Amino acid sequence: MTKFEQRDSLLAAYLAAPVRVTYHPSFDPVSLTESGENEWAGIRALTYEGLSIDGCATRVFAYIGVPKTASPAAPVPAVVLVHGGGGHAFSEWIKIWNDRGYAAIAMDTTGFVPSSQGQGKAGHELDDAALWHHGLWGEFAEDGYTDLPDNDALAHSDAPLEKQWMLHAVAAVIGAHNVLRADERVDITRIGITGVSWGGVITSIALGYDTRFAFAVPIYGSGYLDEAHSWMRPIFSEPLAKELWSAADRFERWNLPVLWLCWGSDTAFSINSNSRSYKAVKNSRLSIRQHWGHSHLRGWTPVDSYLFADSAVKGRPELSRLLECDSHGREVRVAFSPDALATDFSARLVYLTVPLSYSVKEEGGKATIDGVW
């Protein structure tokens, strides 16, 4: 069996397997209000089994939260939340979605678990790596289980498949989806996915194997990264990494509404990859933001993701859609379908007088990429 056949076989079998969940109440996020109430009540810590390595099972750590109003009689939509590089399972990201009426699960895709019990709300985890520990310890450790690989940026694509980080990251997404689907308070026909940075990459790859999702919002990351004008290009241009983990190779399997949300001056990704992904996937939207930035917090702050999800699974009218954009010399024709709830529209046409190119410059002590803007 080739690596490609083995990849497909392992992920297909895992997708169909019953999920095995263990809850860890001593690791539930806790942040007390002045009245003594836990503002994170309802968000629970758990682990679920991932793919095996050398015959030993793995465990994926996650937080899950369900709105108080949800019940088997009134199931709610849900979303899988995929963190990026340096990130982990963020419970405040879950709370944002819970407050909007969605169940949500955020898992760690890199083999990390909390480093201590009751370590507080996950907001602290954004800037304190000491709160996370790579590898199973304490109640997470058990005979017959082994640690998941950390993010290696696909540097070991020549290693045995079961030891490759991306395989386990994609499986972690599938497993999280299965955990949500096993909860009777969740409407399994209305589960979406969103990921930030490397999480957007993982999302783009995972959708080629798990086609059950109802909507997707890859943030920053996309397909066609072998064409990116950034440090991602050599990673995905390496022949084995490209053959094994090119999201674009499975775009034809996608059959769901997608919002590609990106930043025009991103040094990790470049908008040509997002634009080509948008053109390649039917029922896509593309939102290129300016004066934004690249981080987990910035990634999940824009309202675009939430309005798009609402339009996909909660009955909100569709966001504005570009229908036509054609130019002949200095004559430009643009047509779009307006958002039925929007009251103000404006348009700005940007054009080039030289061939499109990208360059890296220093701006405020940080490197930025100049694209079409």
Side-chain angles (χ1 to χ4, degrees):
M1 182 181 292
T2 67
K3 275 190 176 181
F4 312 108
E5 293 170 333
Q6 185 184 10
R7 172 202 60 192
D8 294 353
S9 177
L10 286 170
L11 292 175
Y14 184 65
L15 187 148
V19 64
R20 297 183 61 182
V21 176
T22 302
Y23 286 93
H24 302 272
S26 58
F27 287 87
D28 290 349
V30 177
S31 182
L32 300 181
T33 64
E34 293 182 0
S35 63
E37 296 181 357
N38 178 16
E39 63 177 324
W40 302 92
I43 298 180
R44 305 178 65 188
L46 61 89
T47 54
Y48 57 89
E49 286 194 359
L51 290 175
S52 296
I53 301 176
D54 291 334
C56 293
T58 60
R59 274 184 165 156
V60 180
F61 178 83
Y63 291 117
I64 188 170
V66 181
K68 295 178 181 179
T69 56
S71 71
V76 296
V79 61
V80 174
L81 309 175
V82 192
H83 68 81
H88 301 290
F90 294 126
S91 58
E92 79 268 43
W93 199 5
I94 290 175
K95 192 172 188 304
I96 292 170
W97 284 93
N98 286 174
D99 291 345
R100 296 188 68 94
Y102 290 77
I105 185 169
M107 84 301 286
D108 191 288
T109 65
T110 53
F112 281 78
V113 298
S115 60
S116 62
Q117 297 182 358
Q119 64 185 33
K121 71 176 185 179
H124 300 142
E125 297 161 11
L126 286 170
D127 51 22
D128 192 347
L131 293 175
W132 290 91
H133 177 274
H134 185 262
L136 302 174
W137 70 276
E139 69 180 74
F140 300 114
E142 186 178 337
D143 288 345
Y145 286 87
T146 191
D147 298 337
L148 284 161
D150 198 353
N151 184 342
D152 64 358
L154 307 189
H156 300 98
S157 295
D158 58 344
L161 192 66
E162 65 176 13
K163 296 185 178 181
Q164 293 192 31
W165 164 66
M166 185 56 77
L167 177 76
H168 292 278
V170 171
V173 167
I174 294 171
H177 191 182
N178 284 343
V179 172
L180 284 176
R181 295 176 73 87
D183 193 319
E184 293 183 344
R185 297 169 296 173
V186 171
D187 183 344
I188 65 172
T189 68
R190 295 191 291 159
I191 301 176
I193 182 171
T194 183
V196 173
S197 193
W198 268 109
V201 178
I202 296 168
T203 295
S204 300
I205 296 171
L207 285 165
Y209 299 91
D210 190 343
T211 59
R212 302 169 297 174
F213 286 104
F215 67 87
V217 185
I219 301 171
Y220 305 127
S222 66
Y224 298 110
L225 296 179
D226 57 308
E227 302 175 12
H229 297 277
S230 71
W231 53 263
M232 277 284 177
R233 182 171 190 163
I235 292 175
F236 283 88
S237 294
E238 194 281 322
L240 224 98
K242 182 177 180 179
E243 289 182 29
L244 278 171
W245 305 118
S246 170
D249 287 350
R250 301 174 77 89
F251 275 170
E252 75 280 355
R253 293 171 56 88
W254 293 30
N255 187 27
L256 76 171
V258 182
L259 172 64
W260 303 97
L261 183 57
C262 58
W263 174 36
S265 297
D266 202 332
T267 56
F269 303 94
S270 55
I271 58 176
N272 63 307
S273 298
N274 299 91
S275 298
R276 190 170 178 196
S277 298
Y278 158 68
K279 292 178 179 179
V281 175
K282 59 184 178 182
N283 200 11
S284 279
R285 301 286 203 287
L286 175 63
S287 178
I288 304 175
R289 301 180 66 88
Q290 299 303 307
H291 312 297
W292 190 16
H294 187 118
S295 71
H296 286 98
L297 182 59
R298 287 187 175 97
W300 70 54
T301 295
V303 72
D304 309 43
S305 300
Y306 310 105
L307 296 183
F308 182 76
D310 289 350
S311 70
V313 297
K314 292 186 72 175
R316 186 195 186 280
E318 285 192 348
L319 303 183
S320 299
R321 176 197 292 270
L322 185 66
L323 299 176
E324 180 185 354
C325 183
D326 188 29
S327 62
H328 298 281
R330 298 184 65 85
E331 295 183 4
V332 179
R333 173 180 172 80
V334 176
F336 70 98
S337 61
D339 183 328
L341 298 183
T343 58
D344 185 26
F345 294 92
S346 63
R348 180 166 65 102
L349 297 178
V350 180
Y351 65 93
L352 298 175
T353 58
V354 295
L356 174 64
S357 64
Y358 290 77
S359 62
V360 179
K361 66 178 182 179
E362 290 294 324
E363 184 177 276
K366 295 183 179 180
T368 63
I369 290 181
D370 285 335
V372 297
W373 308 100

